[in-house]
């Protein structure tokens, strides 16, 4: 019988298909039975963990079909953990119960039990015997400790605090006033400042001012009668008030020279920024020494025509005045107007004999 080419081709395909099918069956079986499983379970003696949901399961992409179809190993009966879906074949090792003043007792061999059955264990607790007093034979109570742990206090952790490292609350140094023009510089805040005290001009104004009065060095003598005053516009040489921290003299008032000094007339000197509000910066005749001038230490009763020697004066006849530290406390600013007032009688009897005023910055001598 002659075999056709087609039949030959079919047998050739069969020769390759059968071994390939067997090989694929082996691969499928290998995947199914998991000869070398890669999963593990951490469990205790009475664990009933479900292997499908327990931690550290199979990490391979394909999970086992069912744990029950896995081939049991030779040491399967030694498992202390039951199968995932089985309540049988659970074995427990013998355990020993220790009791006070008694020899160890070994319990009987445990039998296989279902995990669904609750196991009740009775624990025997030895009752302690109170110590007996040797002298009286009576039980002596053991004193209870009444000490309670002392809580650790919270500590201040702010490096800027005075009590850094000490218990809370944090305490801080007082904040000090640092403004040199404040009354309480170097003392706790808030800063306080002198209160300005303006004073109205008294008498009648002389307009125009006498020709002998000028701004600058002395060059002649002028007279202001009692009950009158003269306002001088300082122009481009105004008096500047900075505050009490500025202790320099700001201008000089030149009195009429008399021999080796002057005969100081009663006079009031005031300054203004607008020729409306004035602040007294020097007052010879009110009985209060003008400490902000160079003749405050020789004021005495401040009499009219009081002799003052040249040694106490600026130049031959100058009275230096510090406007920043005047008792009226003029606010900081630029003052273009200076008023020279001759008090009314009986405070004065012969008016004022003066020469000039000059804006000048002079440092006090010790």
């Amino acid at each position: 019988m002659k075999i056709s080419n087609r039949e030959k081709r079919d047998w050739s395909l069969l020769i390759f298909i059968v071994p390939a099918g067997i090989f694929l069956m082996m691969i499928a079986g290998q995947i199914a039975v998991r000869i070398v499983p890669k999963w593990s379970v951490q469990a205790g003696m009475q664990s009933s963990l479900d292997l499908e949901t327990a931690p550290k399961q199979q990490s391979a992409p394909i999970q086992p079909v069912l744990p029950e179809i896995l081939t049991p190993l030779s040491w399967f009966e030694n498992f202390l953990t039951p199968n995932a879906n089985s309540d049988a074949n659970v074995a427990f090792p013998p355990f020993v119960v220790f009791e006070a003043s008694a020899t160890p007792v070994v319990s009987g061999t445990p039998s296989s039990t279902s995990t669904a059955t609750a196991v009740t264990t009775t624990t025997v607790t030895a009752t302690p015997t109170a110590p007996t007093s040797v002298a009286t034979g009576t039980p002596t109570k053991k004193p209870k400790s009444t000490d309670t742990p002392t809580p650790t206090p919270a500590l201040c952790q702010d490096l800027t605090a005075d009590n850094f490292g000490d218990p809370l609350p944090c305490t801080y140094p007082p904040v000090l006033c640092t403004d040199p023009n404040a009354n309480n510089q170097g003392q706790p805040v808030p800063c306080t400042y002198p209160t300005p005290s303006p004073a109205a001009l008294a008498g009648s104004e002389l307009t125009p001012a006498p020709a002998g009065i000028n701004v600058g060095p002395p060059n002649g003598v002028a007279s202001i009668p009692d009950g009158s005053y003269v306002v001088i516009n300082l122009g481009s040489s105004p008096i500047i008030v900075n505050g009490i921290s500025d202790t320099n003299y700001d201008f000089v008032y030149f009195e009429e020279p008399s021999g080796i000094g002057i005969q100081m007339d009663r006079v009031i000197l005031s300054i203004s920024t607008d020729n409306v509000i004035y602040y007294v910066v020097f007052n010879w005749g009110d009985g209060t020494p003008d400490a902000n001038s160079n003749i405050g230490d020789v004021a005495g009763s401040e009499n009219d025509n009081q002799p003052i020697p040249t040694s106490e004066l600026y130049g031959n006849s100058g009275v230096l005045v510090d406007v920043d530290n005047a008792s009226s406390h003029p606010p900081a600013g630029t003052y273009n107007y200076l008023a020279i007032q001759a008090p009314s009688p009986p405070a004065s009897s012969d008016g004022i004999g003066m020469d000039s005023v000059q804006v000048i910055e002079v440092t006090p001598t010790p």
Side-chain angles (χ1 to χ4, degrees):
M1 178 177 174
K2 186 177 179 180
I3 300 175
S4 63
N5 292 335
R6 179 171 181 169
E7 290 178 342
K8 291 180 181 180
R9 185 172 62 252
D10 292 340
W11 280 105
S12 300
L13 292 176
L14 183 62
I15 293 174
F16 289 101
I17 291 174
V18 171
I22 296 174
F23 181 74
L24 293 175
M25 290 174 60
M26 293 177 63
I27 294 177
Q30 174 70 18
I31 296 175
V33 300
R34 303 289 181 179
I35 295 177
V36 185
K38 296 181 181 180
W39 53 272
S40 62
V41 176
Q42 293 182 350
M45 292 178 59
Q46 297 180 345
S47 172
S48 59
L49 295 177
D50 186 352
L51 298 181
E52 292 294 325
T53 60
K56 298 185 178 180
Q57 295 186 58
Q58 167 70 23
S59 59
I62 302 177
Q63 299 293 330
V65 179
L66 281 176
E68 286 79 358
I69 69 173
L70 299 180
T71 302
L73 302 179
S74 61
W75 36 265
F76 184 80
E77 295 297 331
N78 295 332
F79 276 156
L80 298 182
T81 301
N83 230 359
N85 297 316
S86 175
D87 295 331
N89 300 323
V90 178
F92 296 91
F95 60 92
V96 179
V97 178
F98 292 92
E99 297 182 2
S101 66
T103 58
V105 177
V106 180
S107 65
T109 303
S111 60
S112 175
T113 181
S114 173
T115 56
T117 304
V119 178
T120 304
T121 304
T122 303
T123 304
V124 179
T125 304
T127 303
T129 304
T132 304
S133 173
V134 177
T136 62
T138 59
T140 303
K141 292 183 179 180
K142 184 178 180 181
K144 294 182 179 180
S145 175
T146 58
D147 296 336
T148 57
T150 303
T152 303
L155 304 181
C156 177
Q157 301 297 326
D158 192 344
L159 295 175
T160 62
D162 286 338
N163 63 333
F164 171 73
D166 294 336
L168 292 175
C170 297
T171 59
Y172 299 88
V175 180
L176 304 181
C177 175
T178 58
D179 191 345
N181 290 318
N183 289 332
N184 62 334
Q185 181 191 13
Q187 299 177 10
V189 295
C191 299
T192 60
Y193 297 90
T195 302
S197 301
L201 301 179
S204 58
E205 181 181 1
L206 296 181
T207 54
I213 300 176
N214 70 297
V215 177
N219 64 348
V221 178
S223 178
I224 301 176
D226 295 332
S228 302
Y229 64 87
V230 172
V231 175
I232 299 176
N233 190 338
L234 299 173
S236 60
S237 300
I239 296 172
I240 306 297
V241 176
N242 298 312
I244 60 176
S245 60
D246 184 358
T247 58
N248 288 342
Y249 296 117
D250 299 285
F251 74 93
V252 56
Y253 166 79
F254 289 101
E255 177 82 359
E256 179 181 0
S258 176
I260 58 173
I262 60 174
Q263 292 183 340
M264 188 67 191
D265 293 314
R266 289 188 173 177
V267 61
I268 301 174
L269 305 178
S270 303
I271 60 174
S272 175
T273 60
D274 55 6
N275 197 22
V276 175
I277 300 176
Y278 277 86
Y279 297 90
V280 176
V281 295
F282 181 82
N283 188 343
W284 184 272
D286 61 356
T288 301
D290 294 275
N292 62 318
S293 71
N294 63 332
I295 60 173
D297 57 338
V298 295
S301 59
E302 295 189 342
N303 294 322
D304 188 28
N305 297 317
Q306 179 176 329
I308 298 178
T310 304
S311 60
E312 299 287 342
L313 303 171
Y314 178 78
N316 293 326
S317 60
V319 177
L320 291 168
V321 179
D322 174 14
V323 298
D324 299 274
N325 292 277
S327 59
S328 61
H329 305 298
T334 301
Y335 291 77
N336 290 90
Y337 299 95
L338 173 66
I340 305 172
Q341 305 174 68
S344 300
S348 179
S349 59
D350 57 354
I352 297 174
M354 63 160 294
D355 196 332
S356 67
V357 292
Q358 183 179 9
V359 179
I360 189 172
E361 191 82 5
V362 178
T363 302
T365 56

